[in-house]
Amino acid sequence: MNEIKEINIYRDTPIRYLGYANEIGEAFRPIIPHSIVWFSYTVASGYVLADTINSGFNTYSNSVTTKSKNVLLSMTDTLLWQSFASVIIPGYTINRVCAAVQFIQKKSNNTHLKSRWIPTLIGLATIPIIIHPIDNLVEEIMNITYRKWIRYYPK
């Protein structure tokens, strides 16, 4: 019999990309006001909080016993995973990629490489490349650290 897989709208649909709003902000950092970059972090953080609350609600709705404990574990797991996989690691990565491109631009004598758009375009091109490796890395690190310590592994 075929089992119907439950879809998590925060991880299995395009809504997932709201978590990467800050990477887009970081890619555009060289050409936009920093206030817009910080706003992109607000969008990404809102996504993280929405997924965390949704995770707690779903766990509460599906738990028969130890509801409070399972809700707390589910929400902290989601908050940690999303914070690292969607905001902290990818944001830092794109920031450093763009900074490296700007460093190379400053050292270069080639005027064609001096465009303000080059770091942004390279930053944007980097985002799809880093998404899945970072998600998988965070998943594995959480499995061998936090989840192992608390003995809680979400579905």
Side-chain angles (χ1 to χ4, degrees), residues 27-44:
F28 279 93
R29 183 183 287 270
I31 59 176
I32 63 173
H34 288 158
S35 60
I36 296 175
V37 176
W38 289 115
F39 177 73
S40 73
Y41 275 89
T42 302
V43 172

Side-chain angles (χ1 to χ4, degrees), residues 3-138:
E3 187 177 317
I4 297 174
K5 182 182 182 239
E6 186 176 326
I7 293 176
N8 180 337
I9 64 166
Y10 293 97
R11 297 198 189 176
D12 303 325
T13 70
I15 290 173
R16 172 75 175 101
Y17 297 109
L18 287 175
Y20 291 99
N22 62 306
E23 283 82 318
I24 294 169
E26 286 294 345
F28 279 93
R29 183 183 287 270
I31 59 176
I32 63 173
H34 288 158
S35 60
I36 296 175
V37 176
W38 289 115
F39 177 73
S40 73
Y41 275 89
T42 302
V43 172
S45 297
Y47 160 81
V48 168
L49 290 175
D51 188 20
T52 300
I53 292 166
N54 183 63
S55 174
F57 178 77
N58 288 340
T59 301
Y60 182 82
S61 298
N62 296 327
S63 288
V64 177
T65 60
T66 63
K67 283 189 182 217
S68 297
K69 180 182 176 186
N70 287 345
V71 168
L72 180 64
L73 293 175
S74 173
M75 290 179 74
T76 55
D77 185 87
T78 300
L79 182 64
L80 284 171
W81 190 90
Q82 287 288 12
S83 294
F84 282 102
S86 297
V87 180
I88 297 168
I89 297 172
Y92 180 77
T93 302
I94 298 301
N95 179 283
R96 295 296 81 206
V97 166
C98 291
V101 171
Q102 288 176 308
F103 177 79
I104 292 167
Q105 284 179 309
K106 287 178 185 170
K107 298 290 183 186
S108 174
N109 292 327
N110 186 335
T111 57
H112 298 296
L113 295 179
K114 301 283 186 177
S115 171
R116 291 176 10 159
W117 282 93
I118 291 177
T120 297
L121 294 173
I122 292 174
L124 290 172
T126 303
I127 294 170
I129 296 168
I130 67 170
I131 290 175
H132 295 297
I134 290 174
D135 286 358
N136 294 333
L137 175 69
V138 171

